[in-house]
């Protein structure tokens, strides 16, 4: 049986650090409120107006290829999970391929907000498991600072910019993407969306004036759904595969809010020592978060470790992927 194994990981975050002290000067908030309610201390922001999501991803993909000693021309397929594409079309994945010289790859974007990376990982794994391709690159990348209203204290404290990328290759060993449970429910759109810029409300003077091109979030209902759904889907993938809490080496949870992560870990029956966290340093980087966690923790992972990657985000979209680490 062929499985898709993650054989390499790379990440990129912009240099500029926006900390809570600076946000205190921008909106009516406090460091204490942000830390206790969300867990975020600082986030990275792309200050260069000439750079977009694809430019962050290019750094990660180049680094990934260098680490693995492969040429971008060897990539068969590149999928980019993002809700902050450089432009509506062409896809950011197309632009990444052009910029890194992945001229033999085809590529597409996948829009699933904070679940973008796990959706893309699950999708990419199928092209390997069927024997169709040998090298698939899965990117999660978001430049949230470009769609955040920095006068809205309910959203600007949470989000940041960043991205990560993994290489998927075939293996016949008992490692790789073992299983996934993915969900979506468009009824959640009302709580978390961008009001304008699509075919429903194309950009106009009015939409700009009314700040409709920024993230709208009704935080409390999103929080309630996230706490319930992320824990439920995590337990679902474990039960489906007979995994007990002691079998899990790491929970790799989307970093929207530390309280949501704590609730998931407690439902799984695992301690903090098994939970990857980087929300303090990066905030919520949407599709970038989970590959950034893998990048941060790569040196602590061992071959055969059971990882549970779980996310919840706009859509609503949510899901959980069981990965057996391959190196
Ligand atoms: C956004 C979120 C952090 C807000 O936390 P919360 O505990 O729900 O806070 P509430 O929205 O109930 O607001 C509580 C109070 O804090 C205030 N508040 C909101 N943001 C604030 C800030 N940055 N600083 C200070 N006060 C703030 C509110 O105005 C409210 O004041 P009031 O009681 O006088 O009306 C939380 O709802 C959340 O994490 N939601 C889910 C996010 C998520 O998972 N998104 C999906 C993936 S992107």
């Amino acid at each position: 049986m062929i499985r898709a194994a993650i054989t390499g990981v790379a990440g990129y975050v912009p240099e500029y650090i926006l900390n809570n002290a600076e946000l205190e000067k921008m909106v009516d908030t406090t460091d204490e409120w942000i830390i206790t309610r969300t867990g975020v201390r600082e986030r990275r922001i792309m200050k260069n107006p000439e750079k977009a999501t694809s430019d962050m991803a290019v750094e990660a993909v180049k680094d990934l290829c260098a680490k693995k000693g492969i040429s971008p021309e060897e990539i068969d397929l590149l999928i980019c999970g993002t809700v902050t594409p450089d432009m509506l079309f062409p896809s950011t994945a197309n632009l990444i391929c052009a910029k890194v010289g992945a001229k033999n790859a085809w590529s597409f974007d996948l829009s699933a907000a904070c679940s973008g990376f796990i959706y893309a990982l699950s999708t990419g794994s199928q092209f390997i498991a069927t024997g169709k391709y040998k090298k698939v690159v899965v990117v999660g990348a978001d430049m949230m600072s470009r769609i955040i209203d920095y006068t809205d204290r309910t959203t600007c404290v949470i989000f940041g910019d960043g991205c990560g990328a993994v290489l998927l290759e075939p293996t016949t060993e008992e490692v790789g993407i073992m299983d996934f449970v993915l969900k979506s429910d468009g009824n959640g759109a009302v709580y978390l969306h961008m009001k304008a810029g699509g075919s429903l409300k194309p950009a106009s003077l009015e939409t700009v004036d009314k700040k409709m091109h920024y993230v709208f979030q009704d935080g409390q209902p999103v929080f309630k759904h996230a706490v319930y759904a992320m824990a439920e889907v995590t337990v679902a993938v474990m039960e489906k595969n007979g995994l007990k809490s002691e079998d899990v080496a790491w929970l790799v949870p989307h970093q929207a809010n530390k309280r949501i992560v704590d609730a998931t870990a407690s439902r799984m029956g695992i301690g903090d020592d098994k939970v990857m966290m980087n929300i303090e340093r990066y905030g919520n980087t949407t599709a970038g978060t989970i590959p950034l966690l893998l990048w941060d923790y790569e040196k602590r992972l061992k071959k055969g470790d059971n990882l549970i990657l779980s996310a919840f985000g706009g859509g609503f979209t949510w899901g959980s992927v069981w990965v057996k680490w391959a190196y």
Side-chain angles (χ1 to χ4, degrees):
M1 181 180 179
I2 304 172
R3 283 201 181 85
I6 295 177
T7 58
V9 56
Y12 175 81
V13 286
E15 268 173 37
Y16 188 81
I17 296 173
L18 173 61
N19 62 23
N20 291 350
E22 189 176 347
L23 277 169
E24 281 179 351
K25 294 185 201 127
M26 295 160 65
V27 289
D28 180 15
T29 192
T30 61
D31 177 49
E32 202 248 327
W33 191 97
I34 303 171
I35 289 170
T36 52
R37 292 295 181 122
T38 70
V40 188
R41 284 180 195 276
E42 56 188 44
R43 54 300 285 138
R44 300 300 182 104
I45 304 292
M46 177 56 81
K47 286 288 190 183
N48 183 344
E50 303 294 320
K51 298 283 183 190
T53 299
S54 69
D55 298 299
M56 294 196 302
V58 162
E59 298 299 325
V61 174
K62 276 187 181 164
D63 189 31
L64 181 65
C65 290
K67 256 172 103 172
K68 292 299 300 172
I70 65 163
S71 155
E73 293 181 14
E74 293 175 55
I75 302 169
D76 299 305
L77 165 66
L78 185 144
I79 309 175
C80 180
T82 187
V83 285
T84 50
D86 292 21
M87 49 190 83
L88 278 179
F89 70 90
S91 75
T92 301
N94 289 180
L95 299 172
I96 298 166
C97 285
K99 289 179 186 179
V100 301
K103 56 186 184 194
N104 296 310
W106 67 285
S107 61
F108 62 93
D109 284 1
L110 195 154
S111 172
C114 300
S115 309
F117 181 77
I118 61 166
Y119 269 41
L121 182 69
S122 307
T123 305
S125 74
Q126 301 307 293
F127 287 93
I128 298 280
T130 53
K132 180 82 181 160
Y133 296 133
K134 298 275 183 278
K135 286 184 174 43
V136 172
V137 170
V138 178
V139 177
D142 271 302
M143 200 172 273
M144 297 305 289
S145 63
R146 300 288 163 88
I147 58 166
I148 290 294
D149 175 2
Y150 285 93
T151 65
D152 173 9
R153 67 176 183 173
T154 68
T155 51
C156 73
V157 301
I158 302 170
F159 292 97
D161 302 341
C163 77
V166 299
L167 179 65
L168 294 178
E169 292 181 286
T171 180
T172 50
E173 292 185 62
E174 267 297 297
V175 293
I177 314 301
M178 307 298 285
D179 197 11
F180 48 82
V181 178
L182 300 171
K183 308 263 186 182
S184 63
D185 179 3
N187 291 306
V190 63
Y191 305 116
L192 183 52
H193 58 268
M194 187 196 279
K195 293 189 185 298
S199 55
L200 181 63
K201 285 196 193 307
S204 67
L205 285 176
E206 188 199 354
T207 62
V208 173
D209 194 47
K210 291 186 173 163
K211 299 185 167 186
M212 293 166 87
H213 300 269
Y214 293 125
V215 170
F216 167 83
Q217 175 169 266
D218 187 355
Q220 283 218 356
V222 177
F223 183 85
K224 282 182 194 144
H225 279 91
V227 163
Y228 174 76
M230 202 160 114
E232 190 196 45
V233 80
T234 303
V235 169
V237 86
M238 287 172 67
E239 283 179 357
K240 190 176 161 209
N241 293 286
L243 289 170
K244 304 264 176 283
S245 53
E246 57 271 24
D247 301 323
V248 176
W250 293 100
L251 169 65
V252 191
H254 179 61
Q255 310 274 295
N257 186 315
K258 186 170 183 312
R259 292 182 287 149
I260 300 172
V261 175
D262 291 345
T264 301
S266 134
R267 244 326 259 295
M268 294 168 75
I270 61 167
D272 285 355
D273 56 326
K274 288 184 168 189
V275 181
M276 292 190 189
M277 290 301 294
N278 62 12
I279 194 169
E280 280 200 6
R281 288 179 294 137
Y282 302 145
N284 179 354
T285 55
T286 307
T289 294
I290 288 185
L292 276 175
L293 281 171
L294 296 174
W295 183 50
D296 275 351
Y297 282 76
E298 186 189 18
K299 289 199 169 60
R300 296 168 68 178
L301 298 176
K302 295 189 297 295
K303 187 171 180 177
D305 276 355
N306 287 311
L307 275 53
I308 306 287
L309 283 49
S310 297
F312 181 90
F316 294 138
T317 56
W318 67 105
S320 208
V321 183
W322 170 28
V323 175
K324 243 186 202 301
W325 199 248
Y327 60 97

